[in-house]
Amino acid sequence: MDIEQPRHRVILLPGSVLPAGLAYGALIAAMGAAAQGDHSVEAVAKDLEVYARPTPPSDYSLDTEIHGVLREVESRGWDTFHLVGYSGGGASALAFAAKHPERLASLALLEPPWAGNWGWSEAHRALWAQYRELDGLPPDEFMARFVRLGVRPGVTTGLPTGGGEQPAWMALRPAGIRAFIRTFETYDLDRASLARFQKPVYFALCALSNPDDYGEVAERLSAVFPDFRLEVFAGRHHFDPPHRVEPDRVAASLLALWNDAHTHTERVA
């Protein structure tokens, strides 16, 4: 008897704080509940390569994450797939789309903090100067200031406090975040390659996140991708993200994106 193959295969890359399983557990459950019949989903929450070792490799860059995604999908025999990335995982997903667009059926970006080093506003440059100033701070102070930079001034609800006993993996996070900030300084994200990407691109933006970061990234990418779809989540911010807090809504948006991509592929074929 033939085994029916899932219609949608997807890799989900987390941000630089939570491991992939914790970050995407609720969303994967919501997708499983929403997907039926030929809309079935095979979803893989993949941890970031920056945390594959006790410390980031000295030559770490977004290419390290690209190679990790390629290894994952090739081990599964996937030729094409959907790619979802949040925060640092979103920046990694962008880099993957620029270098391997032929492998993607669609791209979903959940507030990537960086989208190339072109077209920055003065406000965006000033914000990134503050991110650079985090280097060298003690871990607790580093994380506290990093979190504050990600939200609008005055936002306090839903922020991670860092109090109490921390899981073992948390000790790796400051070094991983620093590694991301450093590669963002030098990585060459090919804008022209992204502009040629014809597959649908979804962007989830939180209304309470820092607009000089995530809002500007969304605006710049809307002028790059031919098929760009923005969804704004009122009352949410970068550390209270909709894929964890409103997984049913995000699952519905992603399934709509993937079904559109599937229809487009069939039409082109």
Side-chain angles (χ1 to χ4, degrees), residues 13-16 24 84-94 108-115 128 131 146 149-152 184 202-218 221 228 230-243:
L13 301 177
S16 57
Y24 286 120
V84 178
Y86 162 67
S87 194
S92 303
L94 269 173
L109 304 170
L110 314 176
E111 289 206 326
W114 173 91
W128 272 92
Y131 277 122
F146 172 75
L149 289 176
V151 298
R152 288 180 179 272
F184 293 160
Y202 169 85
F203 195 110
L205 178 64
C206 298
L208 299 182
S209 293
N210 191 329
D212 295 331
D213 196 345
Y214 310 104
E216 171 161 322
V217 166
L221 290 179
F228 182 85
L230 177 67
E231 184 171 14
V232 178
F233 290 81
R236 301 269 77 84
H237 59 68
H238 192 69
F239 300 100
D240 179 41
H243 62 275

Side-chain angles (χ1 to χ4, degrees), residues 130 133-134 137 140-150:
Q130 294 181 72
E133 291 171 358
L134 300 180
L137 293 177
D140 288 348
E141 186 179 355
F142 176 96
M143 292 301 297
R145 290 181 59 180
F146 172 75
V147 168
R148 287 293 178 188
L149 289 176

Side-chain angles (χ1 to χ4, degrees), residues 31-110:
M31 289 190 297
Q36 297 179 1
D38 63 353
H39 293 173
S40 59
V41 175
E42 183 178 356
V44 176
K46 182 195 174 301
D47 282 310
L48 295 172
E49 296 293 318
V50 73
Y51 298 125
R53 305 176 186 177
T55 59
S58 59
D59 60 348
Y60 177 81
S61 80
L62 292 180
D63 286 337
T64 310
E65 301 298 342
I66 291 174
H67 298 325
V69 172
L70 287 173
R71 284 194 304 271
E72 182 71 37
V73 297
E74 287 168 2
S75 73
R76 295 173 178 275
W78 295 2
D79 292 327
T80 60
F81 58 99
H82 304 283
L83 184 57
V84 178
Y86 162 67
S87 194
S92 303
L94 269 173
F96 189 98
K99 290 206 169 179
H100 298 284
E102 76 286 350
R103 301 298 297 268
L104 297 185
S106 74
L107 178 64
L109 304 170
L110 314 176

